[in-house]
Amino acid sequence: MNNYESYKKTDIAWLKEIPSHWEIENISHIFEERKEKNIDQKENFILSVVKNIGVIPYTEKGNVGNKASEDTSNYKMVYPNDIVLNSMNMMIGSLGKSEYKGVLSQVYYILKLKEKDKYNINYLTYIFKNQKFYKSLRVLGKGILDHRLRVPMELLKYEKLPIPPINEQIQIANYLDWKINEIDKLILIEKEKIKELNYKKQLSISYEYSKINKKRRLKTLLSEQLLYGINGVGKESGDIRFIRITDIDGLGELKNENILYLDKCDKKFLLKEGDVLFARSGATVGKTYLHKKETGNMAFAGYLIRARINKTLISPQYIYYYLQSEKYEVWKKSVFIQSTIQNISAEKYANFEIPFTNQFEQKNIIKKVKNIIEKIEKIKDILYKKITNLQALKQSLIAEVVTGKIDVRNINIPQYEKAVIVSEVNNNDRMEE
């Protein structure tokens, strides 16, 4: 790749120099803030902005983050090609260009391009997606808690952006579209391999349990009845950790970020070692968590159901492993067919059948399944590292091209097939981390 002929220094904190013929302009010179309200709730298409993904329909968001308000008359209107930024999360990548007409809550800033013949929205979108840019916005944040800082618009509008001539902006955007599409294709290949491995893992687990002929309903293997969680809201601090569906990752482990707490709760909601939690609704309905011996008290939220296992009859680990099988996935889908929404009640979970055998045989199956999971997860680790490296390559490419470190003006961009990328908002596996 070629460099530009000459460069000049800038006073931008995150960018030392730009090509000599480029300009530098404040955000307020390029955009105006769109403040149009959704009067009389004429628009009912609610949008959301998700970290590292961008603007999506709210219905694709699942149980991640805050719930939408029923009254959207105070929401802001959004139009295609508007830049949207979460005022409190833009510094971690919660921003992007909208492809939709819809509405967003007051926490978002909506930026409308002033002069389309002078600025290319796709080039500017890549500037906003540049990690060095959006991470630099943290210094503008106002607030007491570091993870709840709000960037005021009166400061954001004075942030400076590098601006090439319009034809060059278009070429840069087209070049990045092409190259990032090529990288996305490679990422999709690795993700397909992971999906195949997950399915193989489910089938292998099912095979180990298929050797057992006897079955018992879950409710007959409990020491207490199934229990719905607390319909409350957690706080930033407290004595009891408050576990929600979104706190459980794809490997059934508790996450260490965005932790909420309760000051107190009824003792019946406190978890004990060996308790199994089931997600009862939302995009990740059916997700499970096996509670291990932890330090400190933990309680669980209303969208979760607790199963307290009778350990004299069956091992909680034995049940939990069966919940990773293909048989469990088939059962979940059969429940969804009978319902208009994805929801599994305590009654349905209570009647879920689990292969039952003596504790000696349970231990043998646990050992075999643990070995299966460990082998497959090791292979997946390698694939996740490949994906992480490819995503880092994307970021590096964006940073190099939009800041003028690489000259792409004379590169011929071929015809290419667009990769179909499905936003994985609710993928709580390691990719989210």
Side-chain angles (χ1 to χ4, degrees), residues 60-225:
E60 293 182 11
K61 185 180 176 183
N63 286 317
V64 180
N66 298 325
K67 299 297 179 185
S69 171
E70 292 183 6
D71 180 8
T72 62
S73 58
N74 203 38
Y75 275 31
K76 295 178 181 178
M77 290 294 301
V78 183
Y79 293 87
N81 290 327
D82 284 348
I83 296 286
V84 181
L85 306 99
N86 186 315
S87 63
M88 291 190 290
N89 289 328
M90 66 177 77
M91 64 282 286
I92 62 169
S94 184
L95 49 82
K97 183 185 77 171
S98 178
E99 303 288 344
Y100 313 95
K101 179 184 177 184
V103 292
L104 276 165
S105 74
Q106 292 292 312
V107 76
Y108 296 98
Y109 297 138
I110 320 296
L111 301 181
K112 174 188 175 184
L113 200 61
K114 283 184 175 181
E115 300 178 62
K116 293 180 181 178
D117 59 341
K118 188 177 179 182
Y119 307 107
N120 178 263
I121 191 64
N122 295 324
Y123 166 77
L124 291 164
T125 300
Y126 279 119
I127 286 281
F128 278 89
K129 284 183 176 181
N130 182 5
Q131 276 186 1
K132 289 183 179 179
F133 167 70
Y134 66 69
K135 285 185 176 181
S136 73
L137 301 176
R138 181 172 290 278
V139 299
L140 306 178
K142 304 293 182 182
I144 300 172
L145 299 171
D146 184 63
H147 66 286
R148 298 295 290 171
L149 298 177
R150 179 181 175 275
V151 176
M153 176 54 75
E154 54 267 25
L155 295 180
L156 178 66
K157 68 182 182 180
Y158 293 116
E159 284 298 293
K160 295 178 171 64
L161 304 179
I163 303 296
I166 183 63
N167 289 340
E168 202 169 331
Q169 293 177 45
I170 294 169
Q171 174 69 2
I172 287 171
N174 290 341
Y175 173 82
L176 285 172
D177 285 347
W178 167 44
K179 283 297 180 183
I180 286 175
N181 185 72
E182 296 302 303
I183 297 171
D184 282 338
K185 285 180 180 177
L186 297 175
I187 291 174
L188 284 173
I189 290 169
E190 302 306 318
K191 286 185 176 181
E192 283 302 314
K193 291 177 184 176
I194 290 169
K195 285 181 183 177
E196 289 172 11
L197 283 168
N198 283 333
Y199 185 59
K200 183 178 180 181
K201 179 172 72 173
Q202 291 172 356
L203 286 176
S204 299
I205 293 171
S206 289
Y207 174 74
E208 295 301 328
Y209 283 87
S210 67
K211 301 168 187 177
I212 302 167
N213 295 321
K214 187 177 179 182
K215 290 186 177 181
R216 287 183 61 166
R217 297 184 190 277
L218 178 62
K219 63 184 177 183
T220 68
L221 303 171
L222 305 177
S223 59
E224 298 179 20
Q225 286 187 337

